[in-house]
Amino acid sequence: MSRGDFHVVDPMDGSTPIATKYRVASGAAASIKAGEWVVQDTENVKLAVNGQSNTVNWIGVAATDSNDTTTAKGNVWIFDNPQYIFRGAVTTSGNLAETVRNTEVTLDIASSVQTIDEDDTTNGTLRIVDYNADAGTADVRMSDSMFLK
């Protein structure tokens, strides 16, 4: 995947964003990069997959790269506050218009890059709270129903 797909733009209270440490299963070297969306995986966390629905527990955005290896579990620090607002690129910037604001959409992954799929509302997981059509970005937070169901 790609480092820096998403970043915190508003921790809601003006303070420095706080990250929490989570376990990552072994099986890949540094399987999670800073700036990527992460979901629950049994007793560990893992990368969200393309179109991941709201049927899984979304944890947040990785603050660090994970340090897992092919043979050992590791850790990753995650911005896991559901009120944090994250900025990321959208899949198709031409779709950005006032009608997308407050829409719950999905995550799109193509060529190892996570983007906001601004026109896929099926089982939406990310709520668009603002956008910049010129930059091709949107500000999102986890849908109210997504945080550790």
PDB file of all heavy atoms in Angstrom, residues 92-97 99-100 118-119:
ATOM      1  N   THR A  92     -12.756  10.043  -8.010  1.00  0.00           N
ATOM      2  CA  THR A  92     -13.075  10.850  -9.191  1.00  0.00           C
ATOM      3  C   THR A  92     -13.434  12.261  -8.742  1.00  0.00           C
ATOM      4  O   THR A  92     -14.553  12.518  -8.291  1.00  0.00           O
ATOM      5  CB  THR A  92     -14.263  10.231  -9.967  1.00  0.00           C
ATOM      6  OG1 THR A  92     -13.980   8.851 -10.218  1.00  0.00           O
ATOM      7  CG2 THR A  92     -14.504  10.959 -11.273  1.00  0.00           C
ATOM      8  N   SER A  93     -12.494  13.182  -8.875  1.00  0.00           N
ATOM      9  CA  SER A  93     -12.715  14.542  -8.366  1.00  0.00           C
ATOM     10  C   SER A  93     -13.866  15.253  -9.075  1.00  0.00           C
ATOM     11  O   SER A  93     -14.502  16.132  -8.498  1.00  0.00           O
ATOM     12  CB  SER A  93     -11.438  15.378  -8.460  1.00  0.00           C
ATOM     13  OG  SER A  93     -10.999  15.464  -9.793  1.00  0.00           O
ATOM     14  N   GLY A  94     -14.180  14.856 -10.300  1.00  0.00           N
ATOM     15  CA  GLY A  94     -15.294  15.465 -11.014  1.00  0.00           C
ATOM     16  C   GLY A  94     -16.643  15.216 -10.364  1.00  0.00           C
ATOM     17  O   GLY A  94     -17.618  15.912 -10.658  1.00  0.00           O
ATOM     18  N   ASN A  95     -16.714  14.235  -9.459  1.00  0.00           N
ATOM     19  CA  ASN A  95     -17.969  13.953  -8.757  1.00  0.00           C
ATOM     20  C   ASN A  95     -18.167  14.831  -7.526  1.00  0.00           C
ATOM     21  O   ASN A  95     -19.217  14.764  -6.893  1.00  0.00           O
ATOM     22  CB  ASN A  95     -18.014  12.486  -8.316  1.00  0.00           C
ATOM     23  CG  ASN A  95     -18.161  11.543  -9.479  1.00  0.00           C
ATOM     24  OD1 ASN A  95     -18.656  11.914 -10.527  1.00  0.00           O
ATOM     25  ND2 ASN A  95     -17.712  10.318  -9.296  1.00  0.00           N
ATOM     26  N   LEU A  96     -17.162  15.623  -7.163  1.00  0.00           N
ATOM     27  CA  LEU A  96     -17.287  16.434  -5.955  1.00  0.00           C
ATOM     28  C   LEU A  96     -18.198  17.625  -6.207  1.00  0.00           C
ATOM     29  O   LEU A  96     -17.939  18.472  -7.059  1.00  0.00           O
ATOM     30  CB  LEU A  96     -15.907  16.913  -5.485  1.00  0.00           C
ATOM     31  CG  LEU A  96     -14.993  15.823  -4.956  1.00  0.00           C
ATOM     32  CD1 LEU A  96     -13.641  16.400  -4.590  1.00  0.00           C
ATOM     33  CD2 LEU A  96     -15.620  15.141  -3.750  1.00  0.00           C
ATOM     34  N   ALA A  97     -19.276  17.655  -5.442  1.00  0.00           N
ATOM     35  CA  ALA A  97     -20.261  18.731  -5.505  1.00  0.00           C
ATOM     36  C   ALA A  97     -20.957  18.763  -4.150  1.00  0.00           C
ATOM     37  O   ALA A  97     -20.787  17.852  -3.337  1.00  0.00           O
ATOM     38  CB  ALA A  97     -21.274  18.469  -6.621  1.00  0.00           C
ATOM     39  N   THR A  99     -23.690  17.962  -3.212  1.00  0.00           N
ATOM     40  CA  THR A  99     -24.525  16.793  -2.920  1.00  0.00           C
ATOM     41  C   THR A  99     -23.766  15.667  -2.221  1.00  0.00           C
ATOM     42  O   THR A  99     -24.391  14.778  -1.655  1.00  0.00           O
ATOM     43  CB  THR A  99     -25.138  16.236  -4.222  1.00  0.00           C
ATOM     44  OG1 THR A  99     -24.080  15.985  -5.155  1.00  0.00           O
ATOM     45  CG2 THR A  99     -26.126  17.225  -4.821  1.00  0.00           C
ATOM     46  N   VAL A 100     -22.421  15.678  -2.234  1.00  0.00           N
ATOM     47  CA  VAL A 100     -21.677  14.616  -1.553  1.00  0.00           C
ATOM     48  C   VAL A 100     -21.487  14.896  -0.063  1.00  0.00           C
ATOM     49  O   VAL A 100     -21.172  13.990   0.704  1.00  0.00           O
ATOM     50  CB  VAL A 100     -20.295  14.341  -2.190  1.00  0.00           C
ATOM     51  CG1 VAL A 100     -20.435  13.978  -3.651  1.00  0.00           C
ATOM     52  CG2 VAL A 100     -19.332  15.486  -1.993  1.00  0.00           C
ATOM     53  N   GLU A 118     -16.238   8.478  -3.627  1.00  0.00           N
ATOM     54  CA  GLU A 118     -17.264   9.479  -3.332  1.00  0.00           C
ATOM     55  C   GLU A 118     -18.627   9.198  -3.930  1.00  0.00           C
ATOM     56  O   GLU A 118     -19.608   9.822  -3.546  1.00  0.00           O
ATOM     57  CB  GLU A 118     -16.770  10.867  -3.760  1.00  0.00           C
ATOM     58  CG  GLU A 118     -16.764  11.116  -5.255  1.00  0.00           C
ATOM     59  CD  GLU A 118     -15.767  10.284  -6.039  1.00  0.00           C
ATOM     60  OE1 GLU A 118     -14.711   9.907  -5.491  1.00  0.00           O
ATOM     61  OE2 GLU A 118     -16.052   9.996  -7.209  1.00  0.00           O
ATOM     62  N   ASP A 119     -18.726   8.239  -4.841  1.00  0.00           N
ATOM     63  CA  ASP A 119     -20.045   7.952  -5.418  1.00  0.00           C
ATOM     64  C   ASP A 119     -20.542   6.538  -5.114  1.00  0.00           C
ATOM     65  O   ASP A 119     -21.526   6.095  -5.672  1.00  0.00           O
ATOM     66  CB  ASP A 119     -20.060   8.225  -6.926  1.00  0.00           C
ATOM     67  CG  ASP A 119     -19.152   7.302  -7.711  1.00  0.00           C
ATOM     68  OD1 ASP A 119     -18.322   6.601  -7.095  1.00  0.00           O
ATOM     69  OD2 ASP A 119     -19.261   7.297  -8.950  1.00  0.00           O
TER      70      ASP A 119
END
